[in-house]
Amino acid sequence: MKKIFAFAVAFVALCACSSEPEYLNYRGLSMGMPFKAFYDSLQARGFVVDSARSDSAFTNIVMKNPNELYHLVIAQQNDTLRMLQETYELSTNDSTRQLWQQIRDEKEKELGTWPNCPHLGDDHKVAKFETDGGFVTITLKNTYTPTLNVLYQAK
């Protein structure tokens, strides 16, 4: 009986250790993909490189899709996606507040967790989500020019 119990414990430990690491998903794309495959997938979705705003080594790439309200900044290190940021280009404070709440609610449902909200004023809001795969931070700053960013960071 002791041998069966020891075998069962060892089997459970082996299964727990051999499980695949979890990665954040960005709009259906795993952030655990090789960088080139992730980059190619974004291009297939209509994003093009803004060469004037990207660095020459393609460590940080800025991409824009004319059909979207945001542009992307993606950062890689050793063919691994480290960070992705959406920056929304909206013109009014009310539209950014409304979109911040909409994105926050969507991420809450998608990630299945409550955010940590260190700032919740009318003109400055931050919601930070933590998952096994990484962090998602939604930041609203309504100053002279309203800005709304969604930052995805891999662990």
Side-chain angles (χ1 to χ4, degrees):
M1 187 68 175
K2 288 182 182 179
K3 289 183 180 179
I4 294 173
F5 180 74
F7 176 77
V9 169
F11 181 75
V12 169
L14 179 63
C15 290
C17 292
S18 65
S19 65
E20 298 240 349
E22 290 193 29
Y23 296 103
L24 280 175
N25 281 327
Y26 174 73
R27 300 183 183 259
L29 298 174
S30 171
M31 290 181 67
M33 296 169 67
F35 183 78
K36 178 73 171 128
F38 191 87
Y39 172 80
D40 290 343
S41 297
L42 289 175
Q43 284 188 318
R45 292 180 177 194
F47 284 90
V48 294
V49 174
D50 184 347
S51 58
R53 294 167 53 180
S54 299
D55 66 12
S56 60
F58 282 112
T59 303
N60 297 311
I61 301 172
V62 178
M63 299 184 84
K64 180 79 173 143
N65 182 338
N67 300 324
E68 299 291 346
L69 290 174
Y70 57 89
H71 68 268
L72 297 175
V73 178
I74 51 179
Q76 70 156 328
Q77 181 181 26
N78 301 328
D79 197 39
T80 302
L81 181 64
R82 302 304 314 156
M83 181 275 307
L84 180 143
Q85 178 176 303
E86 295 176 340
T87 301
Y88 287 82
E89 299 169 359
L90 301 167
S91 59
T92 67
N93 289 346
D94 289 339
S95 61
T96 55
R97 285 185 195 113
Q98 182 180 7
L99 188 56
W100 183 90
Q101 188 64 47
Q102 177 185 344
I103 293 170
R104 181 199 173 278
D105 293 344
E106 288 172 2
K107 291 298 170 198
E108 189 177 307
K109 287 179 186 175
E110 177 186 330
L111 301 173
T113 184
W114 289 88
N116 174 17
C117 296
H119 297 284
L120 273 178
D122 285 339
D123 292 327
H124 185 198
K125 298 180 185 202
V126 177
K128 294 182 177 187
F129 295 89
E130 181 177 358
T131 68
D132 291 338
F135 305 93
V136 178
T137 305
I138 308 165
T139 305
L140 168 71
K141 289 186 180 176
N142 282 336
T143 54
Y144 297 110
T145 303
T147 59
L148 176 64
N149 297 316
V150 182
L151 177 65
Y152 296 79
Q153 294 173 296
K155 280 189 176 177

